[in-house]
Amino acid sequence: MSNTRLDERGRLTLPKEIRERYGEHYHIVELHDGIKLVPVADNPLEALRDEFADVEKSATELRDEARETALDEAGS
C-alpha cells in the first residue's frame, strides 16, 4: 500500500509502480466509505476481446444461459 496526497491544485499522483502495473486511465467509483480507482484499458474493446477469447459460445447462448440460471435461482 502506498500513501499519497493531493497537490495544491487538487491533483493526485499515483506511484510509478502502480501506473506501470495498471496503466494511466482510471474510473473513479464512489463507495459508502471511500473511493475506488478502477483501471480502464487504453482500448476497452480489445481488452474485452482478449478477456473472452477462449469463450466458444455466442452472446445469445450466454444470455439464454444467464436467463435460465436467474429463473432457476428465483424459483420460477
Side-chain angles (χ1 to χ4, degrees):
M1 182 183 282
S2 300
N3 290 326
T4 188
R5 71 176 52 214
L6 299 176
D7 68 10
E8 65 280 348
R9 292 179 57 192
R11 296 178 296 191
L12 178 70
T13 301
L14 297 176
K16 181 179 178 183
E17 300 81 32
I18 299 293
R19 295 191 314 269
E20 288 176 345
R21 182 172 179 183
Y22 296 105
E24 296 186 10
H25 297 93
Y26 296 85
H27 179 74
I28 300 172
V29 179
E30 291 185 57
L31 304 172
H32 70 281
D33 61 347
I35 62 171
K36 179 175 184 173
L37 298 177
V38 179
V40 176
D42 290 334
N43 185 338
L45 185 55
E46 187 64 32
L48 278 174
R49 287 185 179 133
D50 290 344
E51 184 70 28
F52 293 98
D54 61 342
V55 175
E56 297 178 6
K57 297 180 182 180
S58 70
T60 301
E61 291 172 315
L62 292 170
R63 184 177 48 244
D64 290 345
E65 277 186 24
R67 182 177 292 123
E68 287 176 29
T69 300
L71 288 172
D72 288 344
E73 290 177 0
S76 297

